[in-house]
Amino acid sequence: MAEQRSYRLPTSVVPERYEIRLTPDLTLWKFTGEVNITVQVLQAARAIVLNAAELALRSVTMRRPDGAVLHGSAQLDDENEQVVLSFPETLTPGAYSLQIQFAGVLNDKLHGFYRSVYKGVDGQDKPLASTQFESTDARRAFPCWDEPAFKAVYQVTLVVDDKLTAISNARVVRETAILATGKKEVVFADTIKMSTYLVAFVVGEFEGTAPVTADGVPLRVLAVPGKKNLGDFAAAIGKASLEHFSHYYGIAYPGDKLDLIAIPDFASGAMENLGAITFRETALLVDPHKATRAELERVADVVSHENAHMWFGDLVTMQWWNGLWLNEAFATFMEMLAVDAWKPEWRRWDSFAVSRAAAMQVDGLKSTRPIEFPVEKPAEAAGMFDVLTYEKGASVLRMLEQYLGADNFRDGIRLYLRRHAYANAETTDLWDALEESTKAPVRALMDSWIFQPGYPLISVEKSGRTIRISQEIFRYMQDGSDSERKWHVPLFLRVGTKSGTIEQTLLLVERERNIEFDQAPDWVVVNAGAHGFYRVRYSPELLFALRRGMMTYLTAVERFALVNDTWAATLAGLVSLTEYLELIDQMAGETDVNVWATMIASFHQLHRILDDAQYEKLADRLKSVLAPAVARLGWTVRSDEGELESQLRGDLIGALGVVANDRAAQDHARVLFSEYEKNSESVDRNVVPALVAILSHTGGITEYEKFFARFENARTPQEETRYLFALAHFSDPELVDRTLELTLSGAVRTQNSPYLMRGLLLNRRARERAWSFLKTQWNEMNRQYPDNAIPRMCEGIIGLVTPDLETDAKDFFTTHPVKQGTKQIEQHLERLRVSVDCQQRWREFPRV
Ligand SMILES: [Zn+2]
């Protein structure tokens, strides 16, 4: 037998079916349970090893194939979260039934089987219990083979208070009252064969939307009482996306019902438990008449993403955690397809450019990582839930899809899913299926993107009828390392010549290549459609031609890429800040919401980098770009405008009042907000966040208390987080301190506090206080917050743009390592380094 890693389970005994019976106590926050597992002993053994953590095991018995019962003893291995069950005789190969009785706690760390408390409609605190098992926390709820490759069937029974609702992955078979106990037994049907991390139990008071039929099964949205009216929007996209996927994949939804459940305390955005998807409230519950378009898009995205997982992840699952990207990149890619089909007017693939840019920001660092890398310990999988897995992964899949053609790509996916249904697969299996169905060299192409970190900068120059295209690694900080790296780059060319426009797709595998045309090109677009995961650097002559014909030669998403690539080149020192701002000056007539989004993000970054005197001058210049754009749209909605235009209005007003610090806009925002307080219909929903941003940026104690009260009494999850996170934008030191206190006082849910803290670190006028607070409260934060939130909170350190704060941050993380996010911390520090470096480089700006 190969040498066994201590944290991996032996494969000599495998589970086939679990019967799990749990009795949670929502008063004392604990539970008791019993599990009967049908196992196959494949090789003779005296002991069985499986996973368990934070559980007390009470009795262990094993029924032999002949019916005889053996009593076993359990020895816990806390370090590896395993338990070794020893028996008085050797277990010879065959089918056994393993029974374990155990007890555990409903913890407050938002993983395993955990507690959640919320205020009921009567104002009283109400208890609820939910689960979050991915990656490796099923073992905190019941002893199990807690690795994705040990797929099995689960039959769950929950014993709960009579008045409560119990939900699990499959439909309810029967509910029986248990006499004189005030309790009932809820028995659920068998699940499909699946991995432990997808098992779910939820117990509490719930109300649901009326079930709709989606792909032949009932679909409901469930929430704690008083909120079910916020579930209709999610039910609509839930149904639409489930039907979209069943059609796209050519395979029916694998479950027997689908519940989308909002949980008041939730560590991530949502979790794809088969048939019982759990969400944080902001990602599921929304009032479509009050929420902004961006907030609605977020709900549509997350619901579609989780539904996509029912096939990609649940039906076919990665063999081990190194393949997590297969699940997540695909679900992210599929979420775009479904939302784009549902609401084409949102132009979802265009706004995906914003996500792609976020991934390129991290992937342009030396401290980036490949999409797929070896994962040894399961705990290392925790570090994989980041923009590289989700957004870079989805971007390279989109690039591949566009290169192969949408139908060819889909056919390959169908083959892959059919071949590995109810089982596990690895990245290589996907390339096999795509190569088989498309006959294209998918593996060589994709290996260069999946197993290599970073991405190329494509340089383009023209010489007569020839254009020369070359690739080299893009880095914000160039130190000459990894310069030998090359990618298989799908180039999507659009070339303007005297006799018309030529479109051409080709694969650049070499360092450089010449392409000859019949006539000399007037202009060239290398990444047409902006599907490519690379940046483009045009020669001055070609750039001049493109800028002259910006609105004619380039689509909106291509203008996005031009601005975003130029900003990245500016941060990297390849383009001067003056040159970048000249491009911005030219963009005042821009009408696309995403192009503006990337410009506005760069303004915020400049605000963190430049000193006060520099920034004051820059703000005037930004005003001259933003004010005409706001004037063109006006402050009120026109009846003939689309949702994206309304969103753009909000974004521009917010930027004018905050980053451009425009007094007139600030005054007008105050007037509008007081009207909004009297009549919430008086201001367009897409403008409200801009008013809140401006009032928190400029306001004092009056606005602070107003916003705090609105946070506490919010009627929708979106309102609640809008006013909560606005508290991070005040500048008065006393108010900053008040918000800092809130992050640990219990007044804010631990699912939100780390992000409030991140906002404070990113606030230029609060950053020093926030940083010293973080340092002194570090242990308490680590005790209170969910593990996955700590590295995300620390992203705020990219705002500490002074040489002293940077040194301090570096020292701090040397002595306070974040074990679940080593890579992310390294990346945050490098992003900070890039900004501090720019601060030094731009010291003379704009004085020269
Ligand atoms: Zn996912």
Side-chain angles (χ1 to χ4, degrees):
M1 199 164 75
E3 192 200 340
Q4 192 66 49
R5 302 248 183 230
S6 60
Y7 35 82
R8 292 295 294 271
L9 296 174
T11 51
S12 47
V13 179
V14 296
E16 288 185 333
R17 183 169 184 275
Y18 294 74
E19 284 177 16
I20 306 163
R21 183 189 169 89
L22 287 169
T23 307
D25 181 334
L26 273 56
T27 312
L28 298 173
W29 298 126
K30 53 186 197 176
F31 62 92
T32 56
E34 181 181 314
V35 62
N36 275 287
I37 314 173
T38 310
V39 299
Q40 280 292 341
V41 174
L42 302 175
Q43 287 164 10
R46 276 294 286 267
I48 293 182
V49 186
L50 64 161
N51 294 111
E54 296 166 9
L55 293 177
L57 270 48
R58 287 180 174 158
S59 94
V60 177
T61 57
M62 188 76 152
R63 197 157 37 113
R64 289 195 320 215
D66 65 2
V69 172
L70 306 172
H71 290 274
S73 63
Q75 199 183 352
L76 284 159
D77 168 359
D78 291 335
E79 162 96 25
N80 289 309
E81 302 185 338
Q82 291 174 351
V83 57
V84 180
L85 308 178
S86 306
F87 297 96
E89 62 179 64
T90 300
L91 310 170
T92 53
Y96 290 71
S97 171
L98 171 65
Q99 187 188 79
I100 307 172
Q101 287 174 342
F102 56 93
V105 287
L106 293 167
N107 69 73
D108 62 356
K109 293 289 281 179
L110 315 193
H111 66 191
F113 200 6
Y114 72 89
R115 64 178 93 155
S116 171
V117 179
Y118 63 94
K119 217 163 263 322
V121 273
D122 58 3
Q124 301 295 308
D125 279 352
K126 304 278 178 181
L128 179 154
S130 182
T131 54
Q132 168 60 42
F133 290 165
E134 192 178 19
S135 306
T136 56
D137 294 314
R139 63 190 66 173
R140 287 172 218 285
F142 60 101
C144 57
W145 276 258
D146 200 11
E147 294 182 7
F150 289 106
K151 284 198 169 185
V153 169
Y154 305 83
Q155 187 278 310
V156 174
T157 301
L158 295 172
V159 178
V160 301
D161 282 359
D162 227 352
K163 303 175 293 296
L164 300 183
T165 302
I167 307 162
S168 188
N169 304 87
R171 74 190 156 79
V172 174
V173 175
R174 63 172 182 277
E175 280 198 21
T176 323
I178 306 175
L179 274 180
T181 60
K183 289 186 178 290
K184 63 182 173 185
E185 182 189 72
V186 185
V187 178
F188 298 90
D190 280 15
T191 67
I192 61 164
K193 202 174 163 199
M194 63 182 199
S195 307
T196 43
Y197 79 90
L198 297 167
V199 175
F201 330 114
V202 182
V203 178
E205 287 182 33
F206 280 98
E207 287 178 357
T209 54
V212 292
T213 304
D215 198 29
V217 302
L219 178 149
R220 296 181 299 174
V221 174
L222 293 130
V224 298
K227 292 183 175 171
K228 85 171 168 190
N229 59 325
L230 301 175
D232 293 338
F233 182 84
I237 177 62
K239 175 179 163 66
S241 58
L242 204 73
E243 289 172 348
H244 180 86
F245 294 136
S246 124
H247 187 250
Y248 182 93
Y249 295 132
I251 299 173
Y253 167 67
D256 61 6
K257 58 95 182 172
L258 180 56
D259 290 328
L260 311 178
I261 314 152
I263 308 292
D265 292 284
F266 201 82
S268 61
M271 177 62 213
E272 66 265 26
N273 316 301
L274 183 90
I277 306 175
T278 43
F279 295 78
R280 68 166 55 202
E281 289 186 335
T282 45
L284 187 69
L285 305 177
V286 71
D287 178 346
H289 304 293
K290 293 252 159 60
T292 65
R293 194 209 66 85
E295 289 162 347
L296 292 172
E297 183 179 272
R298 154 120 162 117
V299 172
D301 280 358
V302 181
V303 170
S304 300
H305 178 103
E306 303 310 321
N307 276 352
H309 273 311
M310 299 298 107
W311 290 261
F312 233 104
D314 294 8
L315 182 64
V316 178
T317 312
M318 71 255 146
Q319 180 73 24
W320 179 244
W321 298 108
N322 61 321
L324 180 73
W325 85 272
L326 263 190
N327 273 8
E328 296 306 344
F330 244 93
T332 305
F333 169 84
M334 293 303 307
E335 130 201 356
M336 298 299 143
L337 275 190
V339 174
D340 191 48
W342 188 55
K343 281 215 188 277
E345 67 274 23
W346 282 359
R347 294 192 290 113
R348 192 63 190 87
W349 279 115
D350 280 4
S351 50
F352 179 66
V354 177
S355 308
R356 187 190 292 109
M360 293 179 91
Q361 193 168 34
V362 173
D363 207 28
L365 302 172
K366 191 171 181 182
S367 54
T368 186
R369 61 165 180 86
I371 291 178
E372 180 171 336
F373 64 91
V375 171
E376 300 256 313
K377 296 186 181 174
E380 289 164 12
M384 294 187 102
F385 292 85
D386 66 0
V387 286
L388 297 169
T389 294
Y390 286 71
E391 280 77 17
K392 182 183 179 184
S395 300
V396 299
L397 289 174
R398 175 64 166 172
M399 179 167 69
L400 178 66
E401 183 221 25
Q402 293 294 303
Y403 180 68
L404 295 175
D407 289 351
N408 291 337
F409 180 82
R410 184 205 56 208
D411 292 346
I413 299 306
R414 287 180 172 180
L415 179 62
Y416 167 83
L417 288 175
R418 272 201 308 276
R419 192 174 276 170
H420 302 285
Y422 306 103
N424 299 77
E426 302 199 56
T427 299
T428 185
D429 298 320
L430 179 61
W431 306 153
D432 282 342
L434 280 164
E435 289 200 337
E436 204 172 310
S437 97
T438 64
K439 314 288 177 224
V442 173
R443 182 188 311 277
L445 193 169
M446 290 305 278
D447 279 357
S448 80
W449 296 95
I450 302 297
F451 295 107
Q452 284 196 120
Y455 55 87
L457 174 68
I458 304 294
S459 298
V460 198
E461 55 191 72
K462 175 179 115 168
S463 157
R465 291 187 292 118
T466 304
I467 61 168
R468 165 170 299 202
I469 299 185
S470 61
Q471 60 164 309
E472 65 190 308
I473 187 167
F474 175 84
R475 282 273 173 77
Y476 288 100
M477 317 265 300
Q478 297 105 11
D479 61 359
S481 62
D482 304 312
S483 60
E484 75 295 342
R485 213 172 273 165
K486 276 189 304 183
W487 287 262
H488 287 212
V489 188
L491 296 176
F492 306 97
L493 299 181
R494 196 168 64 244
V495 179
T497 69
K498 295 279 169 292
S499 46
T501 305
I502 302 161
E503 292 192 11
Q504 197 180 335
T505 300
L506 53 94
L507 197 63
L508 177 74
V509 294
E510 53 279 71
R511 176 80 48 211
E512 62 176 42
R513 177 149 157 194
N514 291 330
I515 304 164
E516 206 172 308
F517 295 90
D518 293 338
Q519 289 173 317
D522 294 329
W523 52 268
V524 178
V525 178
V526 167
N527 188 6
H531 305 296
F533 194 80
Y534 46 85
R535 299 194 187 280
V536 183
R537 191 177 186 201
Y538 294 98
S539 65
E541 180 191 11
L542 288 171
L543 183 62
F544 181 78
L546 281 185
R547 282 179 56 171
R548 202 185 42 205
M550 185 105 77
M551 302 302 278
T552 342
Y553 304 151
L554 297 176
T555 64
V557 73
E558 291 162 4
R559 294 197 296 278
F560 175 98
L562 180 70
V563 173
N564 190 262
D565 289 354
T566 309
W567 174 237
T570 309
L571 292 171
L574 304 171
V575 166
S576 72
L577 181 55
T578 310
E579 238 176 295
Y580 177 69
L581 292 172
E582 279 165 13
L583 176 64
I584 295 298
D585 290 340
Q586 205 194 328
M587 303 301 290
E590 180 59 55
T591 54
D592 182 78
V593 66
N594 302 307
V595 183
W596 276 110
T598 189
M599 290 196 275
I600 292 169
S602 73
F603 303 161
H604 281 284
Q605 195 171 354
L606 281 168
H607 189 206
R608 292 196 292 268
I609 294 174
L610 299 177
D611 70 27
D612 288 342
Q614 287 176 314
Y615 195 77
E616 211 173 302
K617 285 193 179 153
L618 180 72
D620 285 341
R621 188 159 174 182
L622 298 183
K623 199 187 303 179
S624 69
V625 180
L626 287 160
V630 170
R632 217 170 30 246
L633 280 175
W635 284 66
T636 48
V637 175
R638 288 190 320 267
S639 57
D640 61 341
E641 73 183 23
E643 286 181 84
L644 294 181
E645 245 177 317
S646 311
Q647 179 183 347
L648 175 60
R649 172 182 299 107
D651 293 355
L652 288 172
I653 291 173
L656 181 61
V658 176
V659 279
N661 215 10
D662 181 65
R663 302 277 184 271
Q666 292 167 355
D667 290 344
H668 195 46
R670 274 187 286 272
V671 172
L672 280 190
F673 193 79
S674 57
E675 283 173 23
Y676 175 75
E677 287 180 290
K678 286 176 226 133
N679 170 15
S680 66
E681 304 291 309
S682 66
V683 177
D684 179 55
R685 60 202 169 95
N686 288 295
V687 171
V688 178
L691 305 184
V692 174
I694 293 171
L695 266 70
S696 52
H697 179 71
T698 57
I701 179 86
T702 318
E703 288 78 11
Y704 188 96
E705 285 187 339
K706 225 174 244 181
F707 288 0
F708 186 77
R710 280 181 170 261
F711 152 65
E712 283 204 303
N713 303 311
R715 284 187 310 275
T716 69
Q718 288 74 24
E719 252 179 50
E720 182 183 346
T721 48
R722 176 182 305 156
Y723 291 104
L724 171 63
F725 294 133
L727 301 180
H729 300 142
F730 286 83
S731 55
D732 178 334
E734 269 177 44
L735 300 177
V736 172
D737 287 347
R738 254 172 88 170
T739 312
L740 287 168
E741 297 299 327
L742 281 179
T743 60
L744 291 168
S745 70
V748 177
R749 291 183 186 282
T750 59
Q751 66 169 8
N752 293 330
S753 281
Y755 306 102
L756 183 60
M757 190 61 213
R758 177 173 68 185
L760 286 156
L761 288 164
L762 288 171
N763 176 349
R764 192 196 149 115
R765 300 166 304 169
R767 63 191 177 192
E768 300 200 17
R769 295 182 100 75
W771 173 241
S772 78
F773 182 84
L774 180 142
K775 285 188 295 178
T776 52
Q777 300 297 332
W778 181 250
N779 291 342
E780 187 56 20
M781 290 175 176
N782 277 277
R783 200 185 63 76
Q784 285 194 21
Y785 299 163
D787 287 347
N788 71 337
I790 299 290
R792 293 174 189 181
M793 168 179 81
C794 293
E795 190 190 359
I797 66 166
I798 66 167
L800 305 179
V801 196
T802 74
D804 290 347
L805 286 172
E806 186 202 4
T807 308
D808 198 39
K810 258 208 240 133
D811 292 348
F812 180 79
F813 288 109
T814 310
T815 49
H816 300 79
V818 179
K819 67 173 184 350
Q820 71 277 32
T822 320
K823 209 60 200 153
Q824 281 98 320
I825 299 293
E826 218 185 306
Q827 291 161 357
H828 302 332
L829 284 169
E830 191 179 340
R831 286 171 71 186
L832 173 58
R833 181 88 280 277
V834 170
S835 289
V836 174
D837 205 46
C838 287
Q839 191 173 63
Q840 310 286 314
R841 201 178 333 126
W842 298 338
R843 238 183 339 235
E844 297 309 314
F845 178 87
R847 298 181 190 110
V848 287

